[in-house]
Amino acid sequence: MTSSELATTDVPAGASGASGTTTTGPAREKSPGSAEGATRGPARPVTTGDRAHGTFRRDIEGLRGVAVLLVVLYHAGVPLFGGGYVGVDVFYVISGFVVTSVLLREYATDGTISILGFYARRARRLLPAAVLVLITTLLAAWWWLPLQLQWIATQAIASAAYCVNFLLARNSVDYLDTMRRESPLEHYWSLAVEEQFYLCWPLLLLALLGWPRLLRRRRARSTSARSQPARTGPAWLQPARSWWRPGDLRPVLVVVAGVAVLSFALCVWLTATSPGYAYFGSPARAWQLLAGVLIALGAGAVSRLPARLAAGMAWTGLAAVLAAALLFDSTTPFPGYPALLPVAGAALVIAAGCAPHSGGAGGLLALRPLQWIGRLSYSWYLWHWPFLVIGAALLGGHGTIWQNLGLVGGALVAAAGTYLLVEAPLRRRRRAARPWRTVGLAAVASAAVVAVAVPALATKPTLVGPGRPVDTAATLAASADVERDLTRLVAASADAGPVPANLTPPLPEVTTDIPAVFHDGCVVLRITDTGTDHPCGYGDPAAAQTVVLFGDSHAGSWFPAVRRLADERGWRLVVMVKGFCSAASVRFHLDSVNRPYDECVQWREQALRRIGELRPAMVVTSSTNYTFGDPVGVFTDRDQVWTDGWARTVDEIRSTGSEVVLIGDVPWLPPTVVDCLALHLTDARACHGPVSDVVLEPRRRQMIADVARDRGALVVDPTPWFCTSTVCPALVGNVVTLRDGNHISATYSRLLWRVLDERIGLLGA
């Protein structure tokens, strides 16, 4: 997810000054002298040069429409929009510009900024829809996502406090948390970033603007009144004169530019070292908001741009935003340097609109469909992600693009209703509302979210299927031909309907049914860790034979089976497992950190050296065939690169005299498979996956198996233990096989020790 957000900004008419800021919504106030056409749409040709006081910036409204479309299409999985997440960066630039324009106008008119009034306006604009979606999503999760309810409730509380971005950033560095299913509230992270900006920026701006006046007063007090008459402040502060002069705002520009540069440098550094904090953290995102601030501060100068230049800027900026959305994807090191493209693009469009011109992109952005979508952009963004996430669970995790488009279409309907019934009425009443009362109501609204979320935190759902009890463990323990009987159980489960009443462990505990090796310090979970010196020995240290379990987290999922096998055979077991790190000797780009995963290379080399020192009787290795990034370098056949990497690993292990057992990858069901079972207790077949969809990379799987056999390794294909020839059931008997869609549950792994023993036990005899 990851994920995007927006927070559009309401600007009172007459607040645009030279910069021509915008409002959203059909009911906009008009200042004296503002034309009706500025609000309703004029009969004359649309230009972005409409900059009289009170003029509505249709180009900005249209840019909002473009931004939210990019985000929604990206989340719906529409091809070509792999970089649609840049829509959030566009919103940040818009927000920085609009909010700063309003604050500057207020300061020029009143000589100060009402901090309480600003917070009240933000609360009226953002909180009603946000609270409505939060509470509605919590209630929906109570009914449709009971297994995720506690995590969703935690995010709801953090969202109500506008700090969910830090919660997600912290979890993003934990491997087990990164495997957590997507939450319908994750998109609130960027609303939190904006609110943190809104909390700090007015105070800083007021201090920067008030500093010259304070300095002037101090000088006046230190000078004799006879020789130095007191002055009331800089001339630009007088309401009767121009409210903006470049010379007066130059110190503010310098300070803001300096902070923006520091924030961008931090963003680039964190993108390489801690992508989660770079993506979710407000310090690394501040420069995008400050880009809009800089345009607002320099709007007077920008407004004097030649018309032809302004038109070219607008087209260039819009092209840059669209190029980023079309060219970027999950492998782009984002935000980092690439974020400059959409941010600069949005800045060019907004800056161009400050100058009178025709023939620019403003005409395109002023089209009625984009204006309508821009008006609904905030509510649509809030609704679209819950619709997609909850909808995916209802569809069994197999939603097609067309189904996703239907879901976001439903979210658009909900957004229209929210706008008409919640946002617009409250906006019309803004003059009647006193700031302190609005802030108080905002606190009550946030408290209401907490009141709904807290009981959810203490809720432990009891989900019991109506199916006939089955005892998978007893069946396999009593079997004389365990693999034959296991495959029969798999086939029976593929055809069975109801979830067995004696599911083990119970459905609410399946996602936490994680092998102990992940919790006892033996698995390298942090991406940046490279050491292999963890206390990873199990069994008798003086055992005659040592066995090594080596690979990524999928190898770690086999730990319960291999541990039981080692105990039965009297072996010493040593575990060398690192998350996201394939045992194949390949240097690859890890998408989640947006760079080559060199820590994996270092860890793998150290692990292979340790294996050489240990000289174990056998090395059991396994890794996912579905890689989280492409190999680094020039290649024409990815499958061949990975096959060659496995050949090198097998050769190196075999050179030490150790036997090699390569266990193939397990099927990949949707990560919402457990939620699907909770929704389909009477017919688990809705949650099964076709072999053609969930047994990934079949060509690569076969190539790796062939080359490993050629080099003397024993290859074990576990697919028959999970699937029939056509379907992979979500559970076998009374045990869920995959706790998160691709990692074996500890219970099922433990039950597989005998079939594994039949395949590999003789090697270690």
Side-chain angles (χ1 to χ4, degrees):
M1 177 163 354
T2 162
S3 42
S4 308
E5 173 57 283
L6 60 95
T8 55
T9 309
D10 218 5
V11 182
S16 60
S19 57
T21 51
T22 184
T23 66
T24 53
R28 299 179 177 87
E29 300 174 42
K30 292 182 291 181
S31 62
S34 64
E36 176 69 18
T39 300
R40 301 297 180 187
R44 58 182 171 77
V46 177
T47 70
T48 54
D50 299 327
R51 39 188 297 274
H53 293 291
T55 298
F56 169 56
R57 284 283 298 270
R58 294 186 301 279
D59 59 329
I60 290 182
E61 191 82 317
L63 189 60
R64 286 192 179 107
V66 170
V68 76
L69 277 171
L70 294 178
V71 173
V72 170
L73 293 175
Y74 164 69
H75 282 156
V78 177
L80 300 180
F81 291 95
Y85 49 78
V86 301
V88 67
D89 307 86
V90 175
F91 282 117
Y92 283 158
V93 181
I94 293 173
S95 293
F97 171 76
V98 175
V99 166
T100 304
S101 299
V102 173
L103 294 173
L104 288 174
R105 180 65 184 174
E106 180 181 355
Y107 193 82
T109 303
D110 302 335
T112 189
I113 294 173
S114 172
I115 301 298
L116 185 62
F118 174 80
Y119 292 156
R121 291 194 299 272
R122 292 298 87 221
R124 279 196 303 271
R125 175 66 186 94
L126 302 176
L127 205 58
V131 169
L132 174 64
V133 174
L134 281 173
I135 293 178
T136 303
T137 303
L138 270 171
L139 296 176
W142 213 305
W143 185 257
W144 285 310
L145 296 176
L147 301 180
Q148 293 194 57
L149 185 57
Q150 292 182 331
W151 173 234
I152 293 172
T154 301
Q155 286 193 354
I157 294 173
S159 297
Y162 294 108
C163 62
V164 69
N165 59 318
F166 290 113
L167 173 67
L168 295 174
R170 179 178 62 81
N171 289 344
S172 69
V173 301
D174 186 330
Y175 180 83
L176 295 179
D177 273 321
T178 61
M179 302 307 293
R180 195 192 296 268
R181 304 183 302 287
E182 290 175 328
S183 160
L185 296 179
E186 287 180 359
H187 64 313
Y188 271 73
W189 72 268
S190 55
L191 185 59
V193 170
E194 288 208 28
E195 285 301 321
Q196 290 155 19
F197 169 76
Y198 295 150
L199 181 66
C200 301
W201 172 235
L203 296 171
L204 177 60
L205 180 62
L206 183 60
L208 292 172
L209 292 174
W211 176 76
R213 174 181 289 179
L214 178 62
L215 184 62
R216 187 72 57 88
R217 286 179 176 176
R218 294 183 65 179
R219 288 177 178 175
R221 284 195 297 267
S222 63
T223 305
S224 170
R226 294 179 181 176
S227 60
Q228 182 68 37
R231 299 179 65 180
T232 59
W236 70 276
L237 295 177
Q238 304 308 312
R241 304 187 63 177
S242 174
W243 69 276
W244 187 92
R245 290 183 181 178
D248 295 322
L249 287 183
R250 191 171 300 156
V252 183
L253 279 163
V254 171
V255 172
V256 171
V259 174
V261 169
L262 291 176
S263 172
F264 177 70
L266 177 65
C267 175
V268 172
W269 178 68
L270 286 176
T271 299
T273 59
S274 185
Y277 281 99
Y279 198 88
F280 296 117
S282 48
R285 291 284 190 165
W287 67 276
Q288 300 174 334
L289 290 145
L290 294 178
V293 171
L294 290 171
I295 300 171
L297 292 172
V302 174
S303 67
R304 295 190 290 273
L305 290 172
R308 186 171 298 178
L309 176 60
M313 287 171 54
W315 282 117
T316 301
L318 184 59
V321 171
L322 295 177
L326 297 173
L327 298 177
F328 292 177
D329 56 24
S330 61
T331 67
T332 304
F334 203 84
Y337 288 110
L340 283 171
L341 184 60
V343 169
L348 285 173
V349 173
I350 296 171
C354 296
H357 68 274
S358 60
L364 175 62
L365 295 173
L367 292 175
R368 286 188 178 181
L370 281 178
Q371 294 292 295
W372 183 71
I373 293 174
R375 188 178 305 127
L376 300 180
S377 57
Y378 178 57
S379 291
W380 194 18
Y381 190 83
L382 289 178
W383 282 114
H384 90 284
W385 190 240
F387 267 71
L388 283 173
V389 172
I390 296 175
L394 293 173
L395 294 170
H398 299 287
T400 65
I401 291 176
W402 292 110
Q403 288 172 328
N404 288 342
L405 289 175
L407 290 171
V408 297
L412 183 58
V413 173
T418 301
Y419 180 83
L420 292 174
L421 300 176
V422 178
E423 291 186 69
L426 288 174
R427 197 174 298 155
R428 284 193 292 267
R429 296 180 56 187
R430 61 186 175 192
R431 286 189 176 276
R434 296 180 180 178
W436 63 266
R437 183 177 299 174
T438 299
V439 173
L441 290 174
V444 171
S446 296
V449 174
V450 176
V452 176
V454 167
L457 290 174
T459 299
K460 294 184 178 180
T462 55
L463 300 167
V464 179
R468 179 177 58 86
V470 182
D471 195 336
T472 304
T475 299
L476 297 182
S479 174
D481 188 338
V482 66
E483 186 158 8
R484 179 200 63 194
D485 290 339
L486 177 60
T487 56
R488 288 176 177 175
L489 274 174
V490 172
S493 299
D495 294 332
V499 173
N502 64 332
L503 201 66
T504 305
L507 205 52
E509 299 175 17
V510 170
T511 56
T512 58
D513 190 22
I514 301 172
V517 72
F518 284 91
H519 297 294
D520 61 10
C522 278
V523 176
V524 181
L525 295 176
R526 291 180 63 90
I527 289 174
T528 54
D529 285 351
T530 61
T532 60
D533 54 348
H534 294 266
C536 299
Y538 295 87
D540 184 2
Q545 293 185 344
T546 297
V547 175
V548 172
L549 180 61
F550 170 51
D552 63 10
S553 60
H554 282 210
S557 292
W558 286 104
F559 171 79
V562 178
R563 171 70 189 276
R564 177 67 185 274
L565 176 57
D567 289 343
E568 294 291 333
R569 295 285 181 175
W571 300 336
R572 177 193 178 205
L573 175 62
V574 176
V575 176
M576 299 183 192
V577 171
K578 177 174 172 59
F580 294 121
C581 186
S582 174
S585 297
V586 176
R587 181 173 181 249
F588 64 97
H589 185 282
L590 184 61
D591 292 343
S592 62
V593 294
N594 298 310
R595 59 176 172 79
Y597 194 11
D598 290 329
E599 292 90 343
C600 175
V601 175
Q602 298 170 30
W603 176 87
R604 188 193 305 119
E605 291 174 348
Q606 292 185 45
L608 290 172
R609 281 197 296 270
R610 287 195 64 195
I611 290 172
E613 295 167 359
L614 287 171
R615 295 189 175 275
M618 180 169 56
V619 175
V620 179
T621 182
S622 184
S623 295
T624 175
N625 281 334
Y626 175 76
T627 51
F628 297 92
D630 287 333
V632 175
V634 179
F635 57 89
T636 57
D637 187 340
R638 293 176 178 83
D639 293 346
Q640 189 62 55
V641 173
W642 285 102
T643 300
D644 293 343
W646 272 110
R648 287 190 291 270
T649 295
V650 172
D651 286 345
E652 185 163 355
I653 296 173
R654 292 277 293 165
S655 68
T656 67
S658 302
E659 299 285 355
V660 176
V661 176
L662 173 56
I663 304 178
D665 198 11
V666 298
W668 280 62
L669 293 172
T672 55
V673 60
V674 182
D675 297 306
C676 179
L677 288 171
L679 292 173
H680 298 89
L681 291 173
T682 59
D683 192 357
R685 290 173 294 187
C687 308
H688 300 345
V691 167
S692 58
D693 292 340
V694 302
V695 177
L696 304 182
E697 306 290 355
R699 177 175 179 265
R700 182 182 304 171
R701 175 191 294 263
Q702 188 60 51
M703 291 173 63
I704 292 171
D706 290 343
V707 77
R709 289 192 188 97
D710 289 344
R711 282 163 166 74
L714 173 65
V715 177
V716 177
D717 180 9
T719 305
W721 307 342
F722 294 85
C723 310
T724 68
S725 60
T726 58
V727 67
C728 299
L731 68 171
V732 172
N734 66 328
V735 180
V736 176
T737 58
L738 302 168
R739 59 181 173 81
D740 59 3
N742 69 90
H743 289 89
I744 313 172
S745 66
T747 300
Y748 193 62
S749 177
R750 195 174 300 112
L751 295 179
L752 296 178
W753 81 270
R754 286 192 62 199
V755 288
L756 195 61
D757 186 27
E758 287 184 354
R759 296 288 191 93
I760 71 174
L762 292 178
L763 289 179

